[in-house]
């Protein structure tokens, strides 16, 4: 937990760039019909909720949400953002591998390449299993994950400059095809009174093939696994490929 939470503690103030907000908004559009159709009285789990963009949108639609994240600083921003909907949006600081919520949850969602943050199969299965334990029988997990095209075309040797209300973020990305690892060196300039504070960190992600994700979901106890090509960007069809997959998987009705 220390490594990833430290990365996002550093990045929190510069995380809410236009691109990151739009990804959460695009994901919300895909999730909303599923969240609205959940059984009465049940909650939505926002896994790795970050700065709470998705949680706030769900909360404003009167959907009760529990956001779980390991980064103290990301959660501090999420709590501030969701103050107006705090009667139905709660947060918990925890590692996805070990978290436990009390509320009855029928939908779990993960937006922002969360599964790609798991660098091998073992932690991936561990968190999927923990998500399944926190869902009611018949509950559904919805997440988006980067595909190989995304890493080959948007990470391999690409640099980005992103701006947001808390500061600006430079990302220098690399892609190691053989190890299927993507690296983003991130340099943030956080607004600090009248000046700037420089922060620097490196995030590593892994490409999990469709077969690997499917088998990890099965091993964690999920069934009815579906995948469809998906993108948060309206104009992605103008590109040579689609950058992500949207996954849904269900906890069997007879699960204990
Ligand atoms: C790319 S951000 C996505 C944030 C948010 N879901 C969004 O779409 O804006 C990834 C988030 O995952 C959280 N995270 C990564 N691994 C985690 C773990 N094992 N347990 C809890 N949170 C984790 C990080 O702290 C970070 O806030």
């Amino acid at each position: 937990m220390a490594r990833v939470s430290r990365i996002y503690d550093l990045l929190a103030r510069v995380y809410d760039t236009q691109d990151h907000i739009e990804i959460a908004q695009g994901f919300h559009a895909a999730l909303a019909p599923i969240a609205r159709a959940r059984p009465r009285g049940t909650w939505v789990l926002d896994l790795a909720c970050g700065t709470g963009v998705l949680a706030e949108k769900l909360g404003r639609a009167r959907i009760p949400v529990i956001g779980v994240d390991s980064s103290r600083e990301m959660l501090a921003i999420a709590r501030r953002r969701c103050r107006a909907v705090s009667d139905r949006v709660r947060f918990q600081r925890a590692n996805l591998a070990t978290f436990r919520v009390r509320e009855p949850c029928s939908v779990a969602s993960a937006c922002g390449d969360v599964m790609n943050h798991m660098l091998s199969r073992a932690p991936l299965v561990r968190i999927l299993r923990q998500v399944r334990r926190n869902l009611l029988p018949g509950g559904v997990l919805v997440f988006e994950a980067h595909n190989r095209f995304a890493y080959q075309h948007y990470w391999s040797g690409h640099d980005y400059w992103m701006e947001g209300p808390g500061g600006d973020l430079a990302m220098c990305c690399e892609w190691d095809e053989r190890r299927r690892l993507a690296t983003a060196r991130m340099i943030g300039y956080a607004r600090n009174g009248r000046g700037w504070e420089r922060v620097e960190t490196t995030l590593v992600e892994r490409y999990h093939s469709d077969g690997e994700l499917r088998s990890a979901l099965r091993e964690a106890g999920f069934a009815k696994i579906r995948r469809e090509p998906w993108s948060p960007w309206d104009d992605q069809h103008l590109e040579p490929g689609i950058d992500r997959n949207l996954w849904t998987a269900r906890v069997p009705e007879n699960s204990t």
Side-chain angles (χ1 to χ4, degrees), residues 4-5 8 15 20 24 46-51 68-71 74 94-97 111-114 117-118 127:
V4 171
S5 56
Y8 283 96
Y15 185 80
H20 286 148
D46 181 3
L47 305 161
C49 61
T51 57
V68 177
D69 202 287
S70 58
S71 162
M74 295 289 269
N95 190 329
L96 293 180
C111 167
D113 19 305
V114 174
H117 285 57
M118 309 305 142
I127 69 149

Side-chain angles (χ1 to χ4, degrees), residues 1 3-9 11 15-16 19-21 23-25 27 46-55 68-75 81 92-99 109-115 117-118 123 127 144 186 203 205 244:
M1 172 159 148
R3 208 182 51 81
V4 171
S5 56
R6 171 90 186 120
I7 291 170
Y8 283 96
D9 280 349
L11 290 177
Y15 185 80
D16 284 333
D19 282 26
H20 286 148
I21 301 272
I23 292 168
Q25 288 172 339
F27 183 79
D46 181 3
L47 305 161
C49 61
T51 57
V53 175
L54 178 65
V68 177
D69 202 287
S70 58
S71 162
R72 192 186 295 276
E73 301 300 329
M74 295 289 269
L75 280 176
R81 186 193 303 284
Q92 186 182 116
R93 180 167 175 255
N95 190 329
L96 293 180
T98 51
F99 79 105
S109 67
C111 167
D113 19 305
V114 174
M115 302 309 163
H117 285 57
M118 309 305 142
I127 69 149
E144 50 87 21
M186 304 208 243
L203 176 74
E205 292 194 3
R244 294 160 201 245

Side-chain angles (χ1 to χ4, degrees), residues 45 47 96-101 103-109 115 123-143 215-225 249-256:
L45 255 174
L47 305 161
L96 293 180
T98 51
F99 79 105
R100 198 79 212 190
V101 295
E103 295 79 356
C105 295
S106 57
V107 179
S109 67
M115 302 309 163
L124 179 65
V125 172
R126 206 173 303 132
I127 69 149
L128 289 173
R129 199 173 273 143
Q130 199 59 20
V131 173
R132 202 249 305 139
R133 289 188 185 119
N134 279 278
L135 278 171
L136 294 165
V140 60
L141 166 65
V142 186
F143 67 90
S215 123
L217 282 161
R218 257 194 234 112
E219 187 174 335
F222 284 95
K224 295 189 182 165
I225 300 163
R250 288 211 175 256
V251 179
E253 291 286 354
N254 57 2
S255 150
T256 49

Side-chain angles (χ1 to χ4, degrees), residues 9-248:
D9 280 349
L10 280 169
L11 290 177
R13 279 180 296 160
V14 291
Y15 185 80
D16 284 333
T17 60
Q18 193 59 32
D19 282 26
H20 286 148
I21 301 272
E22 283 177 15
I23 292 168
Q25 288 172 339
F27 183 79
H28 172 259
L31 177 69
I34 300 170
R36 276 197 298 268
R38 78 198 184 286
R40 187 188 288 264
T42 64
W43 291 62
V44 173
L45 255 174
D46 181 3
L47 305 161
C49 61
T51 57
V53 175
L54 178 65
E56 186 199 16
K57 284 189 86 63
L58 292 169
R60 288 199 183 275
R62 309 207 68 78
I63 294 172
V65 186
I66 309 160
V68 177
D69 202 287
S70 58
S71 162
R72 192 186 295 276
E73 301 300 329
M74 295 289 269
L75 280 176
I77 295 172
R79 287 197 172 96
R80 279 202 295 278
R81 186 193 303 284
C82 294
R83 215 174 272 149
V85 286
S86 61
D87 58 330
R88 66 203 89 114
V89 178
R90 299 177 184 165
F91 292 102
Q92 186 182 116
R93 180 167 175 255
N95 190 329
L96 293 180
T98 51
F99 79 105
R100 198 79 212 190
V101 295
R102 290 194 185 153
E103 295 79 356
C105 295
S106 57
V107 179
S109 67
C111 167
D113 19 305
V114 174
M115 302 309 163
N116 300 107
H117 285 57
M118 309 305 142
L119 300 185
S120 64
R121 179 185 167 82
L124 179 65
V125 172
R126 206 173 303 132
I127 69 149
L128 289 173
R129 199 173 273 143
Q130 199 59 20
V131 173
R132 202 249 305 139
R133 289 188 185 119
N134 279 278
L135 278 171
L136 294 165
V140 60
L141 166 65
V142 186
F143 67 90
E144 50 87 21
H146 277 324
N147 59 20
R148 178 176 250 134
F149 171 84
Y151 290 120
Q152 286 176 337
H153 285 78
Y154 303 125
W155 286 59
S156 187
H158 282 69
D159 298 341
Y160 300 93
W161 179 262
M162 301 189 283
E163 297 179 359
D168 300 341
L169 180 61
M171 274 178 70
C172 308
C173 302
E174 296 297 340
W175 163 240
D176 181 335
E177 178 80 40
R178 192 181 59 78
R179 297 166 70 209
R180 291 196 274 149
L181 292 179
T183 309
R185 180 174 167 226
M186 304 208 243
I187 302 168
Y189 295 91
R191 286 202 177 84
N192 180 3
R194 262 179 280 162
W196 301 87
E197 186 185 327
R198 186 182 187 281
V199 292
E200 180 168 350
T201 186
T202 299
L203 176 74
V204 181
E205 292 194 3
R206 181 181 164 86
Y207 163 63
H208 301 285
S209 72
D210 295 348
E212 286 167 343
L213 276 173
R214 200 175 283 278
S215 123
L217 282 161
R218 257 194 234 112
E219 187 174 335
F222 284 95
K224 295 189 182 165
I225 300 163
R226 308 252 183 284
R227 174 196 71 87
E228 58 180 281
W230 180 84
S231 177
W233 317 113
D234 289 343
D235 55 359
Q236 188 66 34
H237 61 282
L238 302 174
E239 295 283 301
I242 298 294
D243 53 328
R244 294 160 201 245
N245 285 307
L246 187 72
W247 290 83
T248 56

